[in-house]
Amino acid sequence: MRYRQLTTGSLALGVILLIDVLRVWLPGIITIFGQAASTPAELMGAFALGWFVLAAAAPALVRRVGARPVTVTAAVLLAAARLALTATPGGRAQLWLATAGLLAGLVWLVGVAGGIDRPVPGLALGLAVNAALHALLDTYDLAWRSDWTAWLLSAVAVGAFLLATAVRGTPPGPGGARSWLLAGPVLLLAGMVALAPALAQTAMSYLVADDGVASSPLFGLAPVPVAVAGFLLAALAGPPRRPWGRALGPVAVLAGAVLFALDNGDLLLAAIPLTAIGLGACLALTDAASAVGPARADAASAVDPSRADAVGGSATAAGVGVGEAGRVDALRAAARRGYALAAGMLVFVLAAVAYYSAYDLGYPNGAVPVVVAGLVAAVAFTSRPVVGPPAGRRSAGSLAPLPTTAVVTALAMLAPVFADKVGVSTNRNGPPKEITVVAYNIRMGFGLDGRFDLPALTNTIERQRPDVVLLSEVDRGWLLNGGHDTLDLLADRLDMPYVFGAAADAVWGDAVLSRWPIEDERTLRLPAVGAPTGAQALAVTVNFSGGVRCAVVSTHLQPPPGGGPVVQARAVVDFAIEYAAGRPLVVGGDLNTEPGDEAFGKFTEVGLVDALAAGRPLATSPADDPRQEIDHVFVSPGLTPRGPVAPPGTASDHLPVAVTLTLPPR
């Protein structure tokens, strides 16, 4: 295998491991460093930014010590941290291991940038394979699993990465700074939109939902192979030669980002392939601009053997000296690439903090992905192309575009083939006499220890043998939370179809799951009244057969600063009463109000019954030392509650509440 193939493979494997670490580190900022929304968003943002600023000093370290020792040392630390994350039980140890892995990964990338002037094939391959694997694992990554399969596959990836890193690459040319500058912005847009399997699955659920009900469609992940194929082909096949063709990639990535920013679930399916193809095409434009002619390549490659490591390569003619000017030029080119990579990763973290902090601080954030896409488009479009392939330096880094794309796309196509399909359970003997309702704030699927622990979450719910589940804080693809579709993952494990109500944006909100058919979905966006995170009320009708139907409303009230959610509570009550139209009614969720509060009274003053009254006090937050009674279930007088409980557990920062309801006779 050629050196350039090994270099490309090493870069791709390192990118895969770094993204794995990011999917653990980013949620840790919220769930471990931040505590139950009590940590200021500014402090969490400063914590995130600080490590990327620290990594920005790595080019100076590379210039002083040499790229080779820095790259190898950082690669070993990245690999060790990635393996350790599979074993860590969560908590502070997990946060600091992930932080160490992140910092090592950033320093490793800087070192690699010093020695690679054509990074596009490796970057593109790493991003595409990671997306395919993330989809194949149903967005539940190996780092969160502890079975022997997870250990084996993680060890294989780490071992292959270290072996590839041990091989010295060929000497770099003077270009590549633009490609490395785009690494961070492309990583952000790929993780948020273009190569995000959870977002693709969510987009499909909007598309196939029948009357608002999604049942984990068999081909929910079908957009992933399309996005992966479009991205890889655009990145590896090279840019169009015609001037107008060069504008297609920048226009596509901008259009995709705009569609994503419009915050409409029905537009996500178009945003994904547009952004994917646009990103690939923009990378191809910078890759073509990195090419140098044979004469310049030879001059740049003739590095003094005594300082070969300073630019990450080795002299092609050992013992043949070069002039001081050539050595200085090579060092400068390596430094430019390193600083460009560091700058691009700063764009990544600044944009990520700016986008997700908006849900705590309350400012519009739709412009953030559009601005990042604009940066990618501008850097790519202003790259000067080289006419014709340079002698001896293949644009794709010795990767054949069509075979490589076919293999990775085939891997991605396994995801929809193996996807689970949830069925609808019904009672053939007629309507039940009793049903059990569970209301649970699941904190995006992360427990108090900061681990994304689906088995614990599933067991907590299943122990109550629920018929209807009302979920709050449901995440369906935020990069900040690791890019999981928590709702679909839970629906698969509980074998319960779901209806989703978007609140903060198209992929974050509330849900209703039911073992019985659901119909007539409606949503109401609640007034913000100063609370930055969006709130909504989701109403559905559960059909228990035999003419027995029950209206169910799931909501998560957001109190304004210094007050209670009185305005939102009144809006939910009016909406629920009108929707039920005299039928039995259940209203529940994380209501952020306690018995005796004014907002609590808005539910009881219209005749709704506190279904948990017999179990009071029934504190649910925080889960490890519950003191607040803020999760509730209210029912209409025709429903008789019994046995209310708040079962202990730490699968979230809240406890669930469960109650059995006797249905009225027909």
Side-chain angles (χ1 to χ4, degrees), residues 308-401:
D309 280 343
V311 293
S314 58
T316 54
V320 179
V322 296
E324 183 66 17
R327 184 180 66 81
V328 170
D329 286 345
L331 290 172
R332 286 175 177 170
R336 281 195 300 270
R337 291 191 293 269
Y339 282 116
L341 179 278
M345 296 309 294
L346 281 173
V347 171
F348 169 88
V349 70
L350 284 170
V353 168
Y355 185 80
Y356 290 110
S357 291
Y359 297 110
D360 285 325
L361 301 179
Y363 54 81
N365 63 355
V368 174
V370 178
V371 170
V372 175
L375 172 64
V376 172
V379 171
F381 190 71
T382 57
S383 299
R384 292 182 298 173
V386 171
V387 180
R393 299 179 63 79
R394 189 171 180 174
S395 174
S398 299
L399 288 180

Side-chain angles (χ1 to χ4, degrees), residues 29-137:
I29 299 172
I30 305 298
T31 61
I32 302 175
F33 182 82
Q35 294 295 322
S38 61
T39 305
E42 298 89 344
L43 182 58
M44 290 188 286
F47 175 82
L49 180 61
W51 300 105
F52 284 79
V53 172
L54 183 61
L61 177 65
V62 169
R63 191 163 186 173
R64 178 179 294 271
V65 179
R68 184 68 181 169
V70 170
T71 302
V72 171
T73 303
V76 171
L77 292 175
L78 170 61
R82 170 59 188 83
L83 274 182
L85 285 173
T86 304
T88 181
R92 293 282 174 177
Q94 174 184 297
L95 176 62
W96 293 116
L97 270 174
T99 302
L102 170 71
L103 187 58
L106 294 175
V107 173
W108 167 80
L109 268 181
V110 170
V112 171
I116 298 181
D117 60 332
R118 309 296 294 281
V120 168
L123 291 173
L125 185 61
L127 289 167
V129 171
N130 189 274
L133 292 174
H134 193 51
L136 190 60
L137 293 168

Side-chain angles (χ1 to χ4, degrees), residues 23 69 77 266 282 341 346 348 514 549:
R23 288 202 179 111
L77 292 175
D266 295 329
C282 287
L341 179 278
L346 281 173
F348 169 88
S514 174
R549 286 177 168 81

Side-chain angles (χ1 to χ4, degrees), residues 614-633:
R616 301 286 183 196
L618 206 61
T620 57
S621 178
D624 56 345
D625 183 22
R627 299 181 299 275
Q628 297 177 301
E629 300 181 78
I630 58 176
D631 298 272
H632 306 288
V633 176

Side-chain angles (χ1 to χ4, degrees), residues 545-617:
S545 76
V548 178
R549 286 177 168 81
C550 181
V552 176
V553 176
S554 175
T555 190
H556 180 192
L557 303 186
Q558 301 289 330
V566 179
V567 174
Q568 290 183 352
R570 184 184 301 115
V572 170
V573 167
D574 294 342
F575 171 67
I577 296 296
E578 180 182 359
Y579 175 83
R583 292 173 296 170
L585 172 63
V586 177
V587 181
D590 177 1
L591 304 185
N592 276 309
T593 184
E594 298 200 69
D597 291 347
E598 183 180 1
F600 188 94
K602 295 301 176 184
F603 293 91
T604 57
E605 67 186 23
V606 296
L608 294 178
V609 176
D610 176 10
L612 309 181
R616 301 286 183 196

Side-chain angles (χ1 to χ4, degrees), residues 105-413:
L106 294 175
V107 173
W108 167 80
L109 268 181
V110 170
V112 171
I116 298 181
D117 60 332
R118 309 296 294 281
V120 168
L123 291 173
L125 185 61
L127 289 167
V129 171
N130 189 274
L133 292 174
H134 193 51
L136 190 60
L137 293 168
D138 203 13
T139 76
Y140 186 33
D141 294 307
L142 296 176
W144 300 115
R145 304 171 186 239
S146 55
D147 54 84
W148 69 268
T149 305
W151 275 104
L152 177 62
L153 294 177
S154 298
V156 168
V158 165
F161 169 62
L162 292 177
L163 283 175
T165 301
V167 178
R168 290 176 178 268
T170 55
R178 284 176 177 264
S179 297
W180 282 111
L181 176 62
L182 289 191
V186 169
L187 175 61
L188 179 77
L189 292 176
M192 289 179 66
V193 192
L195 300 176
L199 188 74
Q201 190 158 253
T202 304
M204 286 295 287
S205 72
Y206 277 103
L207 179 68
V208 304
D210 180 14
D211 197 22
V213 184
S215 58
S216 292
L218 179 61
F219 294 104
L221 289 166
V224 178
V226 176
V228 165
F231 172 74
L232 268 183
L233 272 178
L236 299 183
R241 292 183 179 272
R242 297 183 180 276
W244 61 266
R246 291 172 47 79
L248 294 178
V251 169
V253 74
L254 275 170
V258 168
L259 290 177
F260 174 76
L262 290 175
D263 194 18
N264 186 325
D266 295 329
L267 299 178
L268 292 178
L269 202 58
I272 292 168
L274 274 174
T275 311
I277 295 170
L279 285 178
C282 287
L283 284 175
L285 288 172
T286 63
D287 188 52
S290 299
V292 295
R296 289 182 61 197
D298 290 341
S301 299
V303 180
D304 185 349
S306 66
R307 293 300 305 272
D309 280 343
V311 293
S314 58
T316 54
V320 179
V322 296
E324 183 66 17
R327 184 180 66 81
V328 170
D329 286 345
L331 290 172
R332 286 175 177 170
R336 281 195 300 270
R337 291 191 293 269
Y339 282 116
L341 179 278
M345 296 309 294
L346 281 173
V347 171
F348 169 88
V349 70
L350 284 170
V353 168
Y355 185 80
Y356 290 110
S357 291
Y359 297 110
D360 285 325
L361 301 179
Y363 54 81
N365 63 355
V368 174
V370 178
V371 170
V372 175
L375 172 64
V376 172
V379 171
F381 190 71
T382 57
S383 299
R384 292 182 298 173
V386 171
V387 180
R393 299 179 63 79
R394 189 171 180 174
S395 174
S398 299
L399 288 180
L402 286 176
T404 302
T405 301
V407 170
V408 180
T409 304
L411 178 64
M413 290 181 67

